[in-house]
């Protein structure tokens, strides 16, 4: 046996006393038959001595001795081996291991992400192995979530799922809820004051007076507005108020009682004018709203609605959710350290960030994301908030580019204690303090909408790097693209938006997600009927493939029958499968290009469908294992994208709430019995030509089973295909089929009516021809006519035969009757 060099592996003394070579070989073989001789990696002294004793390889039937000899020879033979040993050895055994060349291989694609900090696709390298720290800007909760929110949160959910479930990163996802903000404060005050106004039950004349009063500053604002989109929105609102004012003004002027006016006109006017009244009431009484709870009820309600919307969209919840209202002490400490580091200053109870000081400091740079936007006062003012851009506030700053870290609270605003007096957090500081508290001095990914780049994210970067005194608070900044509605800009302030609930009333969460997957996450997405129809058709295309594969897999077979021989078609499809899978991987590595990935998946399904169709036309079963592998892969990818929930191995769930797998396994055996029985009945009915039974079988297929979520597909000469489909989908298909049939029926009816009309018109045109003229136009047949227009000679000048004259006479008489009928009709005026 082989052991470490210098060790005696076995007692070989008995071999030295054997002089016969054959006996030595035989004795060694018997000895080695019950011992291991490949345990080590280098020969011992015993191995070398016995090897020299033998001189040449043992005979072939001494298996154990020969195997041992080959191992020793392979380890010992080298350039210094005596030639005579080579010759003796080679004559019996020429099977030394040949040289091995490792494959060249290819460099696998690396994941690249479009980084807004460089405006390029950069190789993604997390700071700590596979651990990814990710912060995402959450919603400001003062109204219903809309499709603009969905654009960001579905897109980031897709990216997050792919990083976790495809690239296998350990993602720690943190998101904030902005529940302290100028918009929230203003909306909460307005809602409170308007509700107080309603509860006072003002008279009709008082409502009329207040609306007219509130309309004056509104119309002044309308006159000053230059933005065309905003002006159009304000004009539309003004027109609605004007239309609602008319009936109330007329009623008041005519002396109609307040009770009647209130019932008829007041609700309409209050609804149309609520924005005007709210603004006016806030300007008059907003400073008197001091109860902090008024400012917390509104965001709490809308945060709850937001979470419901995200759950309905199948968006994963964050690992950590932070609310501004819960982090005020941390925000105060964060601001204090920025001031201590020399990058902030106090002014009239507010604290501002000194952009010039920061930008001139070593290793710091202001506006990393959009440097060209520095000085954009409109963007800066929007970032500060409507309640923070008064002249006195703007005059507090050293530079117009500086922004608020802490705002001194005015009357009618919530407030918290701080070293600078009572106040509230600025908008940008909240994300820095909360993200810093959870993720530390540097994160791998920060995400948000494209319109947040400046000033929000640039200010976040500046104040965070001022706090941590570093230049890498964020390594990769990801920004989702805009969302338009049928080509128009979506804006809540312009009242041009669609809520998530409205969108889900029209399409399913999966269809919305597929629409997002079919577009680049960083580019503009147009939410329109065409966009959603493309997503619906893609879903239907995939679903039909899954249903067909599942039907094939249900076909009975024994355990060996499921493994069929591969022919050229299977080899070609498998090659396409691996090619498309590789293309999908490359697309996902390329900035998570789901659009290209879905197109590659579509191409794979098309190839698979062509393969199944060719096998079907040849009356052959497709390869079950290959189709199953493809279907499972596609299902897994859709699960990775968040487009499929549940544990089904193949396809979209049926029934919902995780019931799909159990439903299918439970129901299908019974459906198979029904399908086989129906097929047997149809066969007998066709043979005996019993059409009523055939109609009944068709009714079961077309009317009864779709209501139960079952589709049967009959194919001539092949077993009936059974598919479990969502009942709503089948009923929709049924309705579309009915409409198609009705349209076909209507078209056929119109065609028949048109054909009949054409025949009648042709008949009428023929009736108008006098019999004396009917043959005169046929000069290619006749050359002479009598005084009544009857032909006498053919085109060659020969007299027409008596037999021919007889036939022509009959035609003449028929036309004579038609012409007389026409004259009679004309006289009767019909």
């Amino acid at each position: 046996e082989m052991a470490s060099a210098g060790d005696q592996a076995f007692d070989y003394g008995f071999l030295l006393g054997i002089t016969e070579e054959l006996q030595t070989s035989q004795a060694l073989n018997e000895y080695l038959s019950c011992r291991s001789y490949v345990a080590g990696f280098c020969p011992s002294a015993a191995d070398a001595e016995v090897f020299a004793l033998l001189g040449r390889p043992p005979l072939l039937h001494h298996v154990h001795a020969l195997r041992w000899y080959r191992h020793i020879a392979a380890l010992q033979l080298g350039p210094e081996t005596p030639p005579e040993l080579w010759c003796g050895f080679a004559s019996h055994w020429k099977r030394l291991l040949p040289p091995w060349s490792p494959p060249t291989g290819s460099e696998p694609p690396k994941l690249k992400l479009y980084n807004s900090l460089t405006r390029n696709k950069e190789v993604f390298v997390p700071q700590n192995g596979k651990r990814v720290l990710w912060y995402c800007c959450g919603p400001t909760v003062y109204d219903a979530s809309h499709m603009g929110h969905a654009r960001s949160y579905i897109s980031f959910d897709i990216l997050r799922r792919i990083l976790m479930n495809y690239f296998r990163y350990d993602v720690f996802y943190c998101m904030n809820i902005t529940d302290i903000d100028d918009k929230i404060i203003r909306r909460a005050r307005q809602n409170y004051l308007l509700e107080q106004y309603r509860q006072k039950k003002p008279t009709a004349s008082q409502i009329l007076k207040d609306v007219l009063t509130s309309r004056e500053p509104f119309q002044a604002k309308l006159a000053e507005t230059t933005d065309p989109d905003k002006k159009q929105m304000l004009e539309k609102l003004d027109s609605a108020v004007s239309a609602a004012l008319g009936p109330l003004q007329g009623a008041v002027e005519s002396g109609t009682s307040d009770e009647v006016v209130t019932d008829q006109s007041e609700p309409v006017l209050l609804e149309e004018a609520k924005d005007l009244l709210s603004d006016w009431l806030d300007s008059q009484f907003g400073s008197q709203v001091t109860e902090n709870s008024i400012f917390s009820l509104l965001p709490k309600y809308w945060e709850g609605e937001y979470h419901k919307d995200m759950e309905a969209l199948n968006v994963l919840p964050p690992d950590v959710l932070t609310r501004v209202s819960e982090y005020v002490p941390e925000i105060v400490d964060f601001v204090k350290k920025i001031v201590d580091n020399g990058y902030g200053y106090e002014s009239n109870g507010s604290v501002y960030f000194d952009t010039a000081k920061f930008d001139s400091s070593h290793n710091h740079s202001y506006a990393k994301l959009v440097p060209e936007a520095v000085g954009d006062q409109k963007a800066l003012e929007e970032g500060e908030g409507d309640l923070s851009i008064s002249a006195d506030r703007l005059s507090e700053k050293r530079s117009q580019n500086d922004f608020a870290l802490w705002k001194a609270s005015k009357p009618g605003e919530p407030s918290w204690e701080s070293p600078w007096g009572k106040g509230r957090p600025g908008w940008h500081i909240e994300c820095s303090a909360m993200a810093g508290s959870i993720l530390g001095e540097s994160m791998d990914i920060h995400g948000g909408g494209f319109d947040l780049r400046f000033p929000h994210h640039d200010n976040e970067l500046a104040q965070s790097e001022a706090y941590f005194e570093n230049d890498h608070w964020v390594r990769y900044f990801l920004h989702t693209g805009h969302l338009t509605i049928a080509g128009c800009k979506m804006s809540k302030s312009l009242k041009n938006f669609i809520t998530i609930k409205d969108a889900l009333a029209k399409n399913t969460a999966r269809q919305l997600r597929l629409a997002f997957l079919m577009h680049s996450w960083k580019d503009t997405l147009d939410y329109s009927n065409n966009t959603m129809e493309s997503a619906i058709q893609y879903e239907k295309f995939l679903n039909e493939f899954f249903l067909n594969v599942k039907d094939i897999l249900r076909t009975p077979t024994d355990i060996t029958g499921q493994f069929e021989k591969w022919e050229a078609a299977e080899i070609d499809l498998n090659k396409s499968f691996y090619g498309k899978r590789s293309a999908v991987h490359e697309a996902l590595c390329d900035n998570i290009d789901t659009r290209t990935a879905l197109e590659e998946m579509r191409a794979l399904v098309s190839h698979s469908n062509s393969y199944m169709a060719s096998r079907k036309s040849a009356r052959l079963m497709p390869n079950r294992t290959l189709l199953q592998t493809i279907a499972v892969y596609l299902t897994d990818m859709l699960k990775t994208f968040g487009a499929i929930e549940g544990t089904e191995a193949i396809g979209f769930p049926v029934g919902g709430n995780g019931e799909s797998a159990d439903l299918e396994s439970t129901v299908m055996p019974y459906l198979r019995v029904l399908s086989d029985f129906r097929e047997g009945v149809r066969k007998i009915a066709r043979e005996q030509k019993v059409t009523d039974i055939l109609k009944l079988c068709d009714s079961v297929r077309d009317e009864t089973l779709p209501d139960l979520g079952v589709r049967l597909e009959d194919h001539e000469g092949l077993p009936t295909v059974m598919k479990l489909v969502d009942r709503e989908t089948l009923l929709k298909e049924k309705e579309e089929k009915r409409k198609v049939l009705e349209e076909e029926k209507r078209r056929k009816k119109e065609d028949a009516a048109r054909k009949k009309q054409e025949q009648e018109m042709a008949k009428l045109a023929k009736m108008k021809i006098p019999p004396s003229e009917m043959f005169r136009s046929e000069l290619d047949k006749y050359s002479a006519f009598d005084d009544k227009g009857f032909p006498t000679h053919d085109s060659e000048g020969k007299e027409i035969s008596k037999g021919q004259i007889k036939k022509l006479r009959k035609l003449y008489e028929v036309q004579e009757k038609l012409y007389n009928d026409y004259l009679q009709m004309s006289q009767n005026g019909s």
Side-chain angles (χ1 to χ4, degrees):
E1 71 192 290
M2 300 172 66
S4 60
D7 294 339
Q8 183 166 305
F10 56 83
D11 182 9
Y12 60 95
F14 72 97
L15 292 173
L16 302 179
I18 302 174
T19 57
E20 290 288 337
E21 181 182 335
L22 180 60
Q23 293 177 354
T24 303
S25 176
Q26 184 175 351
L28 179 62
N29 189 66
E30 291 176 357
Y31 182 83
L32 292 175
S33 64
C34 59
R35 285 169 172 78
S36 170
Y37 44 88
V38 291
F41 297 95
C42 58
S44 66
D47 292 310
E49 192 166 351
V50 173
F51 183 80
L53 176 67
L54 287 178
R56 60 178 181 175
L59 298 176
L60 292 176
H61 63 275
H62 293 156
V63 177
H64 299 289
L66 181 60
R67 186 179 178 196
W68 168 84
Y69 189 90
R70 288 175 173 173
H71 277 287
I72 302 302
L75 293 169
Q76 279 198 340
L77 290 178
E80 66 282 357
T81 304
E84 60 272 14
L85 182 56
W86 274 108
C87 295
F89 180 78
S91 64
H92 286 77
W93 179 46
K94 300 179 181 179
R95 295 187 181 87
L96 286 176
L97 290 173
W100 177 76
S101 300
T104 304
S106 59
E107 185 69 22
K110 295 179 179 179
L111 172 61
K112 291 184 176 182
L113 297 177
Y114 184 87
N115 189 357
S116 297
L117 287 165
T118 64
R119 301 187 187 181
N120 279 303
K121 296 175 187 177
E122 307 290 351
V123 175
F124 181 58
V125 182
Q127 298 175 105
N128 185 18
K130 299 291 282 187
R131 179 77 162 162
V132 175
L133 301 180
W134 188 336
Y135 180 81
C136 182
C137 280
T140 300
V141 282
Y142 69 99
D143 207 338
S145 299
H146 52 71
M147 285 301 292
H149 295 124
R151 172 60 171 139
S152 279
Y153 301 125
I154 292 179
S155 295
F156 282 132
D157 186 68
I158 290 169
L159 299 188
R160 179 185 175 192
R161 287 173 182 268
I162 291 173
L163 285 182
M164 290 192 306
N165 302 327
Y166 187 83
F167 290 106
R168 302 297 177 186
Y169 286 106
D170 179 13
V171 176
F172 184 68
Y173 194 83
C174 177
M175 190 186 79
N176 78 298
I177 292 288
T178 297
D179 59 353
I180 301 174
D181 178 80
D182 287 40
K183 293 187 181 74
I184 293 173
I185 295 169
R186 190 184 186 93
R187 179 68 62 85
R189 277 195 326 225
Q190 291 177 343
N191 288 355
Y192 172 77
L193 292 169
L194 186 62
E195 183 59 29
Q196 293 290 306
Y197 182 84
R198 290 179 188 272
Q199 289 179 5
K200 290 179 181 177
K201 299 186 181 302
T203 63
S205 57
Q206 184 64 48
I207 292 173
L208 181 61
K209 178 184 176 182
D210 291 340
V211 170
L212 290 173
T213 302
S214 67
R215 198 180 182 195
E216 292 176 6
F218 173 81
Q219 289 185 323
K221 178 182 176 182
L222 172 59
E224 295 171 359
T225 301
T226 56
D227 181 272
D229 291 331
K230 192 169 186 179
K231 194 174 188 69
Q232 183 181 20
M233 183 269 291
L234 294 175
E235 287 173 345
K236 185 178 179 180
L237 179 57
D238 190 53
S239 297
V241 171
S242 180
L245 272 170
L248 188 60
Q249 285 176 314
V252 170
E253 290 171 2
S254 65
T256 307
S257 67
D258 276 349
E259 291 78 9
V260 175
V261 173
T262 299
D263 291 340
Q264 294 179 351
S265 304
E266 177 199 327
V268 177
L269 180 59
L270 279 178
E271 180 61 28
E272 296 295 347
K274 64 181 180 181
D275 289 345
L276 281 68
L277 271 174
S278 296
D279 280 343
W280 177 70
L281 290 169
D282 189 51
S283 66
Q284 298 295 309
F285 311 108
S287 61
Q288 299 174 18
V289 180
T290 57
E291 178 57 49
N292 266 14
S293 62
I294 293 172
F295 302 104
S296 62
L297 291 174
L298 178 76
K300 185 175 182 180
Y301 171 79
W302 285 117
E303 182 191 334
E305 293 301 299
Y306 165 80
H307 290 309
K308 292 176 186 176
D309 288 340
M310 293 301 104
E311 184 177 3
L313 291 172
N314 193 30
V315 171
L316 294 173
D319 297 309
V320 177
L321 186 134
T322 61
R323 298 180 184 88
V324 183
S325 60
E326 298 172 348
Y327 276 79
V328 174
E330 288 86 349
I331 292 172
V332 170
D333 291 341
F334 205 93
V335 173
K336 189 173 183 301
K337 185 174 178 183
I338 292 174
V339 173
D340 291 343
N341 287 350
Y343 300 110
Y345 57 91
E346 184 270 342
S347 179
N348 293 337
S350 295
V351 181
Y352 294 95
F353 188 83
D354 192 335
T355 54
K357 178 71 177 297
F358 176 80
D359 199 40
S360 62
S361 300
H362 182 62
N363 287 335
H364 289 315
S365 178
Y366 178 63
K368 287 182 172 182
L369 289 165
V370 195
E372 62 270 24
V374 173
D376 183 342
Q377 290 306 304
K378 182 180 178 182
L380 289 167
E381 288 179 7
E382 287 178 357
E384 291 297 84
D386 291 344
L387 303 179
S388 308
I389 54 174
S390 58
D392 57 326
R393 278 282 169 91
L394 295 176
S395 64
E396 294 174 354
K397 302 192 293 184
R398 295 176 183 174
S399 165
Q400 294 301 305
N401 293 329
D402 294 350
F403 55 90
L405 300 172
W406 183 262
K407 301 176 180 180
S409 290
K410 298 177 181 178
E413 296 178 2
S415 62
W416 288 263
E417 294 291 344
S418 79
W420 315 283
K422 285 194 172 185
R424 57 189 177 89
W427 176 32
H428 317 296
I429 195 67
E430 63 181 62
C431 291
S432 294
M434 293 187 293
S437 174
I438 301 297
L439 304 180
E441 67 176 17
S442 183
M443 69 185 76
D444 298 291
I445 297 175
H446 190 320
F450 184 82
D451 55 343
L452 294 179
R453 295 179 308 151
F454 184 89
H456 185 52
H457 286 158
D458 267 327
N459 288 351
E460 278 187 36
L461 281 167
Q463 61 201 10
S464 298
E465 293 178 357
Y467 177 91
F468 291 110
E469 283 289 10
N470 66 21
D471 63 349
H472 53 267
W473 184 58
V474 175
R475 296 295 188 174
Y476 298 83
F477 235 123
L478 310 185
H479 289 100
T480 55
H482 287 300
L483 181 130
T484 57
I485 299 177
C488 299
K489 178 184 177 183
M490 199 213 76
S491 170
K492 183 175 283 189
S493 63
L494 297 177
K495 300 186 183 299
N496 174 38
F497 67 95
I498 295 175
T499 67
I500 290 173
K501 285 183 173 61
D502 289 340
L504 286 172
K506 295 179 181 179
N507 299 104
T508 66
R510 182 189 303 135
Q511 290 163 354
L512 289 172
R513 186 170 289 250
L514 286 172
F516 283 47
L517 285 162
M518 295 169 76
H519 293 78
S520 168
W521 61 267
K522 75 176 191 65
D523 296 331
T524 298
L525 185 150
D526 186 45
Y527 175 71
S528 63
N529 290 335
N530 288 340
T531 298
M532 294 314 305
E533 184 59 28
S534 296
I536 291 168
Q537 292 305 316
Y538 190 90
E539 177 190 42
K540 185 176 180 180
F541 177 69
L542 287 178
N543 193 40
E544 286 303 309
F545 168 72
F546 290 138
L547 293 173
N548 287 328
V549 171
K550 287 198 280 190
D551 183 72
I552 289 168
L553 295 178
R554 282 193 295 267
T555 304
T557 184
D558 57 34
I559 193 167
T560 59
Q562 57 188 307
F563 300 103
E564 302 114 325
K565 180 185 177 183
W566 282 29
E567 305 289 353
E570 286 75 27
I571 293 171
D572 185 45
L573 178 58
N574 189 59
K575 182 179 179 181
S576 172
F577 168 45
Y578 277 90
K580 296 305 177 186
R581 192 162 74 171
S582 176
V584 167
H585 180 67
E586 290 179 8
L588 295 181
C589 286
D590 184 17
N591 195 38
I592 309 185
D593 181 4
T594 56
R595 178 179 182 175
T596 299
L598 260 63
E599 284 305 310
E600 296 293 348
M601 290 163 64
R602 185 201 298 271
L604 176 58
V605 172
S606 294
H607 193 159
S608 301
N609 286 341
S610 298
Y611 166 74
M612 288 188 287
S614 66
R615 300 292 288 181
K616 178 180 174 182
S617 64
R619 298 290 191 270
L620 297 171
M621 278 296 296
N623 188 289
R624 301 159 59 100
T625 305
L626 179 55
L627 287 174
Q628 182 178 24
T629 301
I630 293 171
V632 168
Y633 164 75
L634 292 169
T635 302
D636 286 345
M637 290 308 302
L638 291 169
K639 286 180 180 178
T640 297
F641 298 153
I644 290 182
E645 295 180 84
T647 58
E648 302 79 19
I650 293 176
F652 299 123
V654 180
N657 298 324
E659 299 172 358
S660 175
D662 291 337
L663 178 68
E664 191 155 351
S665 61
T666 302
V667 170
M668 274 303 174
Y670 297 97
L671 286 179
R672 172 55 65 192
V673 172
L674 172 64
S675 177
D676 291 346
F677 175 77
R678 174 178 169 276
E679 188 57 36
V681 171
R682 290 177 72 230
K683 181 180 179 183
I684 295 172
R686 282 196 299 266
E687 291 172 351
Q688 299 186 11
K689 299 181 180 178
V690 187
T691 55
D692 286 344
I693 292 180
L694 288 173
K695 289 179 181 178
L696 189 59
C697 290
D698 288 347
S699 178
V700 170
R701 178 195 63 201
D702 299 334
E703 303 296 333
T704 307
L705 291 178
D707 283 334
L708 301 174
V710 178
R711 184 198 294 154
L712 293 186
E713 297 177 358
D714 294 322
H715 300 281
E716 191 64 35
L718 293 171
T720 298
V721 175
M722 302 178 299
K723 297 177 179 178
L724 281 185
V725 186
D726 285 332
R727 178 175 179 271
E728 291 75 15
T729 300
L730 287 181
L731 292 181
K732 186 177 179 181
E733 289 179 359
K734 181 179 172 182
E735 179 62 18
E736 289 174 352
K737 186 177 180 181
R738 183 189 65 78
K739 289 180 179 178
V740 169
L741 291 174
E742 285 186 355
E743 178 63 22
E744 183 68 16
K745 186 177 179 181
R746 184 193 63 77
R747 189 183 60 79
K748 285 183 177 179
K749 187 176 181 180
E750 288 181 353
D751 289 346
R754 184 170 57 254
K755 187 175 181 180
K756 183 179 180 181
Q757 185 180 21
E758 289 173 354
Q759 290 173 342
E760 289 177 351
M761 293 297 293
K763 181 180 178 181
L764 181 62
K766 186 177 181 181
M767 290 174 71
K768 291 180 179 180
I769 300 173
S772 60
E773 299 295 330
M774 66 178 293
F775 294 118
R776 290 186 185 276
S777 61
E778 299 181 5
L779 297 178
D780 58 327
K781 296 180 180 179
Y782 314 109
S783 60
F785 306 88
D786 62 16
D787 57 349
K788 293 184 178 180
F790 193 84
T792 57
H793 293 75
D794 64 17
S795 59
E796 295 179 355
K798 297 178 181 179
E799 287 189 10
I800 296 176
S801 65
K802 291 181 179 180
Q804 184 70 9
I805 288 174
K806 189 176 181 180
K807 293 178 181 178
L808 294 177
R809 181 64 63 187
K810 288 183 179 179
L811 294 174
Y812 187 91
E813 290 171 354
V814 169
Q815 185 61 33
E816 190 174 34
K817 184 177 184 306
L818 285 172
Y819 185 66
N820 289 333
D821 290 344
Y822 168 70
L823 294 176
Q824 188 66 38
M825 288 165 55
S826 298
Q827 290 175 2
N828 295 337
S830 60

